[in-house]
Structures are given as C-alpha cells and as structure tokens.
Amino acid sequence: MAESLAPETQLAHYRIVSPLGAGGMGEVYLAEDNRLGRRVALKILPVEFTKHPERVARFEQEARAASALNHPNIITVYDIGRHAGRHFIAFEYVAGVTLRQHLTGQMTLGEALDIAIQTAAALQAAHEAGITHRDIKPENVMLRPDGYVKVLDFGLAKLTEKSEGKFDPEAATKLKAHTDPGMVMGTVRYMSPEQARGQRVDARSDIFSLGVLLYEMIARRLPFDGATASDVIAAILREEPEPLANVVTNLPAELGWSVAKALRKNCEERYQTIKSLGTDLRQIKTRLDVEAALANLSSSDIAARTTGSSSLSEAVTVEFNSAAAKSATTRRPRKSKTPKIIDSLAILPLINVSKDSQMEYLSDGITESIINSLAQLPKLRVVPASTVQRYKGRVVDPQLAGRELKVRAVLTGRVQLVANALIVKTELIDVANNAQLWGEQYRRQMTDIFALQDEISQEISAQLRLQLTREEKKRLVKRYTDNTEAYHLYLKGRYYNSKRTPEWIRKGIEHFQQAIDLDPNYALAYAGMADSYGFLASSTGNLPPREAYPKAKAAALKALELDEALGEAHCSLGFFHLLYDWDFAAAEQQYKRAIELSPNYPNAHDGYGFYLKATGQHEAALHECKLAQQLDPLSLFSTLSVGWAYYFARRFDHGLAQGRKVLELDPNFGFAYAHAGLCHLQLGQFDEAVASMRKAVNLAGGSPNFLAYLGHALGRAGQHREARQMLAQLERLRKRQYVSAYFSAMIYLGLGNRHEALTWLEEAYEERSGFLAFVKVEPMLDVVRGEERFANLLALIH
C-alpha cells in the first residue's frame, strides 16, 4: 500500500487538507478545490491498484453511478480525474458523522426511523435510475448536523438488468467490472442471501441490507452474527433473526413486521420495492409522532388547538414541531367595505426583517412565487415581480403604490427567520376603500415553505372573492418540486438572475444547475436556465450566440418536456427562434402559445411584440407592446419596448416621447439614452444624438453595443476620428470577451464605408447575431438596402 498523502499535497487543482478515512477501494481526504474555493472529499485509488484494470474500472464506475444520481440524500459527485498516476473522485464534503460513529451513543426510535426513511429515499432514487448500491452499511451512511442523511460509496454499484432504457444493462460488463457468479462482494454482515451466495442481485438486495441496518439501530445488535465471516454468511443463509419484539419492549407490532419482511431470505417474499418499505416506515413514524404529541396534551389543550384547524393532526403538528409557538396561525380577518370582485393586485416585496442579509433571496423568492402562482388566474391581473421590485428597500404607502400600479388591492408583508422557523406576516389592503381586507401571521418550519405559499395564495384568492374553477384551483397550488433544498437554490438563481449583469447571471445559472442536480424534474429551474443563457446572448452580449442560444433552447425544451403548459419556457423558445435561427413562423407559434397559457405574463406579450417588429407588422407590434406595458406599468424595458416599436415604424418623434417617459421612471437608464440617440439620428439631429449616446456609454460603463451606437452617431456627425476610436475600443474588448461583428458594422455604416459594413454584417450572420433578426426594419441599414450583398443577406434571414 502506498504512503498516505501529506497535508498541502497538490493533486490536480485539489489541495490535501487532512485524511478522513480509508476503505477497500481507496483513501479519502478532506481537500480544497483551488478553482472553486470549496472543500471536497477526495477519494483516491491506491497507486498499487492501478495495476489491476478491474479495480480501476470499478473505481470509475463508482463515480459514474453516483454522478447519475441527483437526490438530497445521495452524496454529490463533483469531479473524476487522474493526476500523477493517481485516480480520484471529488465528492461533496459532508460535515458530520457516520452512522457507525453515531451508533456509539444514544438513539431514539424516532431517530432510527428517520435515518431509515431518508436512506430508503436515496435508494429509491438509485433504483429508479437502474442502480443497485450493494453495500449499505453504517459506514456508508453519513449524518449531517442538520439531520440530513447522505448515502455514500457507490463503489460496488451495478446496473440492474431491468433499466427501462435509461442505462445499458450490460454496461457493467463492458467496464469489465462485472462480478462473476460465485464472487462475493460487499460487507458480509449486511449482505443479502443472494449476495452472499455470489448470485446476481437486484434492488431487493438493498432492501435486505437496509433491514439489517434498521434492525441494528433499534436492537443495538446485528440480526446475523458470528465469529468469522463464514459463520456470518451461514447465519444469513440459514438462521432466522430473533424477532425485534423479543429484544425491544413496547415496540410497535407493525414495525417488527416491516423489519421481518425486509429480512426475508427469499427475495420474492421481501418488499418488492424500496418505495413500499419507505412508505410503511413513514406511516409508522407519523403515528408514533402523533401519539407522542397527544401524550403531552390534555383534552382541553386539544380542543383549544383544533379550533379553526382542518384536523387534529394539524394541531398536534403545531405542538410537536414548534413548542415555542402557541398556534401555527393567528388569523385576523377583516371585512371589506365592498362586495365587488377585485380584479387587480400588487404584491409588494416582502420585507426581510431577519438580521441575516443572506436571507434576502428568501423574501424575494416568496414574493415572486406567490406572484407567479396568482398570475396564472385569468380573472386576476397581478403586477409582475420585475415591477414591484422597484419598491424594495423603500418605506411604501400601500395606497400610493396601488394608485401608481393601477391596481385595486395591495399585499404587504414581512419575513423573519427565527432558528429554523419561518414567520410571515401579511396584510391585504383594498386600495379603493382604504380598508384592510385581511391580515394574518404564519409560523412554519422551513420544510413547510411550499404549504405556506399555497395557503397564502389560496387565502388571497378567497379574500379577493374570485370564483375559481376546479382547474384554476389546481393551478393555484401547483408545485414544480417537493424538494425544499432545490427550491431554495431556484430562488437564489432567480435572485441573482434579476441583477442582469454577466457575473450575476452566471451565478444564477450555477444555482439553477444545483437545483436541477437535486431534482432533475424541476421544470421551473430549466426555464430559469433558459432565460439566463438568453440574457447572456442578447441583453449582455457576453456569450457568443452559437454558445449561449443552443443551451437556452435545450433548457427550454427540457422544461417543456416536463411541463408543456409552462408559458415562460414557450416564451424563451420564442426568443431562440426569433433571435438565433430566424425561424419567424416558429417564433410566432411559441409566443402565441405562451400568451394562451399565461395571458398575464408581460414577457410573452413583449416577445410577441419583438416578433411583430422584426416582421414589419408595426401597428400590431405597438398593440402588443402596450399590452405588456399595461401588465408591467413600471417596467423600464416594457415601457421602452413601445418606444422601439415606434422607432422601427419610423415614427421617431413618438419614439422620443416614449423614451422621455422611461427617463421619468429612471433618469439613469442607459438603454433609454441609446434609444433616444437613434431617434435623434434618424431625425438628422446629430449633436443631440451624440450627446445621448455619450450618456448611454457613461452610464453603462462602456458596453459594446452603446460604443457601437456612439461610433455610428459620431461618423454620421462627421467626427470620423472619434468614430474610429470607438472601433479601436471594440477591438480591444474583443481580446477579452465576445463582441458581435454587428457592432463594427454599425460604426462602418456611420463612416459611410458600405463595403466594410457589409463584410462585418456577413460576419455577424456567421455568428448568428440576434440583431440581424431586425435587418428588414432597422433604419440604420437603409443606406445599404440597394446593395446586392445586402439583398442576399436579407434573403438568408427572412
């Protein structure tokens, strides 16, 4: 065996910190990833083992098997590699103890059940992916301080034969890591009978091993033991374990029956799926929790706590989960002065009153989630999150905000995190009557965040007196994930994405990906990913279109595969077809579908407006853009989008007037100055155009598109020397980042160099620049419309 690695040893981009442990398949170290600045568990195959292809193949199979599994109870694989002759896998570092270490102390029955339930959930995810663990034991179950269980070490994992097409049934054989009949693998005391015999195993072998584990946690001894490995195997094959009821007093009969069923020697008589075992264990634990809570409540307590509750179990849960709270919800209903249906609503950003600024994403996320939920109701206009964010961090008069946003009702609220309890206080105001419709305080555990948001949404719809259909009620409480950790990662992704700078968008993508890693069926996370890559290709111009847009398309298609009725994903796909592959018919279809599914989604109307602009349908474009603005009245981009509709329709005076409305909302909005500069140019007002463009460049910190527009304006104004300086700046930027060829073409147009401008436009075509979607209507291109090269280019796009 080779010597252990010393601290500070560098292995690829990992720095060894300290050893964590060792097993038959390698040593494990705590290490630091120098690239990402995070700690990892680094598993290293001993150098001597590299002489054995089967060991190397099995080691690599561990990484492939584990990396295919995305579940909160399964260790996350970050990387697999080889450096200086050593094979390694980088795992998520789990701060905590193994179940083996935990077994040395005291453990309640409830704790044992919780560990078994979480382990079963991990195995269910593996089995559904066609993977059998084959080495479930206390050393491979980690317990985090927050109660999460993590299942480790898929080094003995093997693809099951029945994989439903997800994996090649013979993949293990191809890796030459297949276990020959008669060869025993695993840890003897936790083996199933078929595994001990060296027979082919399937998921039911893991059920047996989990049964051994659960028996050991409850009885504090193994069901099968012996002086030697042979004795243990003989016991597994021939002896029946002592019933748990004989070992532990007052044990629920059904728990003893479940463990016995998991330990049946004949796999046909065992639980046939880990899901069935997990379901039975959860039911047993729920009953024990209720009985324990009831034992601590007097009959008068029960009566008091069930008042206003839907069931006794709800009252019990309050006492069981939050001893500090006297009730889960304190309701203060107020009657409205008007019986009329309220058809418009603004939900102002919930205020984060926790001292932890890192929880800002949570208050924003809850706000956006409630908005998105209610926005699905066709009878209710809900102001989008992008607009209400303008009120974040301000002391807001709900009456004034309601009038500014042209809505009948306003919801305000506060969010506070105390320990692991989430406290949300809300108040719904009728703007027209200056009356409180409803007020409520909620106290829930963080794990109950989904139920909390559902309850708030349902309560609001009831207080607004909306008559919902059965289908609308279902949509109101629709969940896209049941994984709390994935949901929080999604909220962080949206929070970072909303900042609209390349660095923050990339951070958003990272969090969306982590959410998807935990829940591969999280449609909203894929939709967020699609938006992010779309922003990087268009709004920021930070990624080449050929790199960003295919990723945006793939994410949008995956979101729609999971949920075809997701309007946001259809909208993202519309932008792909419009700005990347210039399939205008497909773009129109996607935008119309998005509007059909989400009639209150302003981006869908705005996107459809983009399509109408690009295809020269100017009156229809104005109508659609104004609809988007009505839905999102304080959005700078929606308001300016109307100005662009005027610009492409060559109504430049109207475009300038619309731009001034944007600057009234935000006098430092660089896009509005750039738009004004282009309108001034077409009106022959060169000095005003140059001044507006300089303002845009200064506000945006030298953004390439604004530099290009300034260069164009300078060229048109006869200031050719300065215009060429803008060209030089673009070239310097190209050495550091992607800069569209379209921008250089604009400056050459301003300089009157048609030949060079067309050359750059042709290069922009090769790049798939999104700006070319508008070549049919862009006024700046009028000077080359008579050129044959331009006609050829236009024919390729339209």
Side-chain angles (χ1 to χ4, degrees):
M1 182 70 69
E3 292 183 4
S4 297
L5 296 179
E8 302 302 323
T9 300
Q10 197 71 28
L11 195 68
H13 53 278
Y14 298 101
R15 180 180 62 83
I16 301 298
V17 177
S18 62
L20 291 175
M25 285 299 296
E27 296 181 323
V28 184
Y29 295 87
L30 173 62
E32 184 165 326
D33 184 338
N34 295 330
R35 292 189 309 187
L36 298 178
R38 65 183 173 190
R39 291 197 157 190
V40 302
L42 204 64
K43 186 169 187 178
I44 301 170
L45 186 67
V47 175
E48 295 89 337
F49 285 7
T50 60
K51 301 174 184 177
H52 304 282
E54 282 194 6
R55 287 183 182 266
V56 174
R58 195 177 302 135
F59 182 77
E60 291 176 346
Q61 184 179 333
E62 172 181 353
R64 292 190 183 95
S67 65
L69 304 173
N70 298 297
H71 191 275
N73 294 122
I74 296 177
I75 195 78
T76 301
V77 174
Y78 294 140
D79 190 15
I80 178 173
R82 182 179 181 180
H83 180 80
R86 293 179 184 269
H87 294 261
F88 65 82
I89 303 176
F91 294 94
E92 163 191 10
Y93 171 61
V94 180
V97 297
T98 66
L99 178 56
R100 175 66 68 205
Q101 293 168 312
H102 193 62
L103 281 168
T104 61
Q106 293 186 347
M107 184 186 302
T108 65
L109 178 59
E111 189 178 3
L113 283 169
D114 186 54
I115 292 169
I117 289 166
Q118 292 191 58
T119 304
L123 290 173
Q124 181 181 338
H127 294 172
E128 288 174 354
I131 295 174
T132 304
H133 189 287
R134 300 202 302 168
D135 198 21
I136 292 298
K137 59 185 178 182
E139 288 77 8
N140 283 339
V141 177
M142 285 287 293
L143 310 180
R144 290 194 335 197
D146 59 1
Y148 259 99
V149 168
K150 290 280 186 176
V151 177
L152 321 177
D153 201 345
F154 280 79
L156 297 175
K158 168 184 164 297
L159 300 179
T160 59
E161 293 183 322
K162 186 178 180 181
S163 58
E164 299 180 7
K166 295 179 182 178
F167 293 90
D168 180 354
E170 297 303 318
T173 304
K174 292 176 181 176
L175 286 172
K176 297 182 180 179
H178 173 63
T179 306
D180 293 328
M183 179 178 178
V184 177
M185 296 184 66
T187 304
V188 172
R189 286 176 170 81
Y190 301 89
M191 283 182 180
S192 65
E194 58 270 29
Q195 193 174 7
R197 289 190 175 100
Q199 297 173 337
R200 198 175 282 272
V201 302
D202 59 20
R204 293 172 294 185
S205 181
D206 285 345
I207 294 172
F208 186 98
S209 299
L210 182 56
V212 175
L213 202 67
L214 184 53
Y215 188 106
E216 183 179 15
M217 285 192 289
I218 296 171
R220 291 310 181 93
R221 74 186 199 197
L222 287 160
F224 310 102
D225 211 346
T228 67
S230 298
D231 292 336
V232 175
I233 290 176
I236 291 171
L237 296 177
R238 299 188 183 93
E239 297 177 10
E240 291 297 330
E242 184 175 1
L244 274 173
N246 295 350
V247 182
V248 180
T249 57
N250 299 322
L251 191 74
E254 60 267 40
L255 178 56
W257 179 87
S258 289
V259 174
K261 184 175 180 180
L263 293 176
R264 297 278 172 82
K265 298 188 186 302
N266 184 345
C267 62
E268 297 295 334
E269 298 176 0
R270 269 178 234 149
Y271 282 98
Q272 294 301 290
T273 66
I274 195 74
K275 182 178 181 180
S276 298
L277 173 57
T279 298
D280 283 355
L281 294 179
R282 280 192 297 272
Q283 290 176 347
I284 293 168
K285 186 175 186 302
T286 299
R287 186 176 67 79
L288 290 175
D289 289 347
V290 171
E291 289 175 353
L294 286 172
N296 294 324
L297 292 174
S298 66
S299 58
S300 58
D301 286 334
I302 295 172
R305 282 166 171 76
T306 53
T307 302
S309 298
S310 60
S311 66
L312 174 61
S313 63
E314 180 181 332
V316 170
T317 303
V318 173
E319 183 72 22
F320 191 79
N321 290 333
S322 183
K326 295 300 182 183
S327 65
T329 306
T330 303
R331 300 184 181 273
R332 299 189 303 278
R334 308 290 176 88
K335 293 184 178 181
S336 170
K337 296 180 181 179
T338 175
K340 294 181 180 179
I341 293 174
I342 294 178
D343 59 2
S344 54
L345 170 70
I347 299 172
L348 300 185
L350 300 182
I351 301 170
N352 172 28
V353 295
S354 300
K355 295 181 180 179
D356 186 1
S357 61
Q358 297 297 316
M359 297 306 295
E360 203 66 36
Y361 82 90
L362 184 61
S363 57
D364 286 357
I366 294 175
T367 304
E368 185 172 349
S369 294
I370 297 172
I371 288 173
N372 291 342
S373 177
L374 290 166
Q376 299 179 76
L377 305 179
K379 299 171 187 174
L380 180 67
R381 178 174 73 84
V382 184
V383 179
S386 57
T387 289
V388 298
Q389 276 297 106
R390 293 173 56 82
Y391 294 95
K392 186 175 175 61
R394 294 164 47 187
V395 178
V396 181
D397 178 357
Q399 293 291 122
L400 178 60
R403 289 193 292 270
E404 288 179 345
L405 296 168
K406 299 180 176 60
V407 295
R408 283 285 312 277
V410 172
L411 181 81
T412 63
R414 295 169 173 267
V415 177
Q416 186 175 10
L417 192 63
V418 179
N420 198 40
L422 185 65
I423 301 173
V424 179
K425 298 179 182 179
T426 57
E427 185 176 43
L428 186 64
I429 304 298
D430 183 338
V431 175
N433 295 313
N434 192 21
Q436 184 194 49
L437 289 168
W438 160 73
E440 189 162 343
Q441 175 174 314
Y442 302 83
R443 185 185 182 102
R444 295 286 189 273
Q445 297 298 302
M446 283 287 282
T447 52
D448 295 332
I449 189 170
F450 301 122
L452 170 63
Q453 291 173 169
D454 290 348
E455 189 173 346
I456 293 175
S457 297
Q458 289 173 311
E459 190 68 64
I460 291 172
S461 69
Q463 295 298 329
L464 298 182
R465 292 170 292 281
L466 299 175
Q467 301 299 314
L468 303 183
T469 66
R470 180 178 299 178
E471 182 60 31
E472 287 168 350
K473 289 178 180 178
K474 286 172 60 179
R475 290 168 63 184
L476 191 62
V477 296
K478 182 175 182 178
R479 297 183 188 176
Y480 288 91
T481 184
D482 289 318
N483 187 309
T484 307
E485 189 175 351
Y487 177 66
H488 281 277
L489 288 165
Y490 168 77
L491 293 184
K492 289 180 181 179
R494 282 294 185 192
Y495 176 75
Y496 295 133
N497 217 25
S498 67
K499 297 179 182 293
R500 295 290 183 92
T501 65
E503 296 77 15
W504 285 111
I505 292 172
R506 290 177 187 277
K507 196 173 181 67
I509 289 174
E510 179 183 337
H511 283 78
F512 288 136
Q513 185 59 58
Q514 290 175 10
I516 290 167
D517 289 343
L518 291 176
D519 184 353
N521 296 320
Y522 199 171
L524 279 182
Y526 285 105
M529 188 86 77
D531 287 345
S532 299
Y533 281 115
F535 290 149
L536 288 179
S538 57
S539 299
T540 72
N542 191 258
L543 276 184
R546 288 188 181 276
E547 180 180 345
Y549 273 120
K551 292 179 179 178
K553 178 186 180 183
L557 287 174
K558 182 62 178 179
L560 292 175
E561 176 189 325
L562 295 168
D563 185 356
E564 198 283 332
L566 197 59
E568 294 94 326
H570 283 287
C571 187
S572 296
L573 204 54
F575 278 110
F576 168 83
H577 289 308
L578 176 67
L579 300 177
Y580 183 74
D581 66 0
W582 305 314
D583 187 341
F584 295 94
E588 179 183 24
Q589 181 183 9
Q590 291 298 329
Y591 288 131
K592 285 184 174 179
R593 180 63 173 151
I595 292 170
E596 177 188 356
L597 293 168
S598 305
N600 291 326
Y601 184 43
N603 283 12
H605 292 279
D606 195 41
Y608 188 36
F610 268 88
Y611 156 77
L612 294 167
K613 294 170 197 173
T615 53
Q617 302 177 63
H618 300 303
E619 289 304 315
L622 274 169
H623 173 74
E624 208 63 37
C625 291
K626 287 179 179 178
L627 272 178
Q629 185 190 11
Q630 290 169 13
L631 290 168
D632 203 354
L634 296 187
S635 167
L636 301 176
F637 285 101
S638 291
T639 305
L640 187 59
S641 189
V642 177
W644 284 113
Y646 283 124
Y647 171 77
F648 289 124
R650 288 167 166 71
R651 297 168 63 180
F652 304 117
D653 286 329
H654 287 80
L656 279 173
Q658 187 68 21
R660 283 192 287 271
K661 292 180 181 179
V662 180
L663 292 173
E664 288 173 5
L665 293 171
D666 185 351
N668 294 314
F669 190 48
F671 285 93
Y673 286 102
H675 170 266
L678 293 179
C679 290
H680 283 305
L681 270 179
Q682 301 308 318
L683 291 169
Q685 301 165 354
F686 298 132
D687 290 344
E688 291 88 341
V690 170
S692 291
M693 292 303 184
R694 288 192 193 280
K695 185 77 171 177
V697 169
N698 290 336
L699 287 170
S703 179
N705 54 337
F706 295 161
L707 287 172
Y709 292 151
L710 175 57
H712 180 92
L714 289 166
R716 294 278 299 278
Q719 301 177 45
H720 288 193
R721 183 172 175 274
E722 276 198 80
R724 292 188 179 279
Q725 288 176 352
M726 298 301 106
L727 275 173
Q729 284 198 49
L730 290 184
E731 287 306 313
R732 286 193 292 272
L733 280 173
R734 276 198 178 92
K735 296 177 180 178
R736 303 196 304 268
Q737 66 180 71
Y738 165 73
V739 176
S740 174
Y742 183 87
F743 299 149
S744 297
M746 291 303 100
I747 298 179
Y748 279 112
L749 281 175
L751 289 168
N753 189 335
R754 298 182 184 182
H755 174 78
E756 197 68 29
L758 285 166
T759 299
W760 282 99
L761 284 173
E762 290 162 350
E763 177 65 26
Y765 173 82
E766 295 301 323
E767 293 176 351
R768 310 296 294 186
S769 171
F771 290 94
L772 293 185
F774 301 92
V775 292
K776 182 178 179 179
V777 294
E778 174 54 66
M780 286 189 290
L781 296 173
D782 287 352
V783 295
V784 293
R785 292 194 187 279
E787 300 282 345
E788 182 180 355
R789 291 170 67 188
F790 182 82
N792 293 337
L793 181 67
L794 184 61
L796 290 171
I797 297 169
H798 279 270

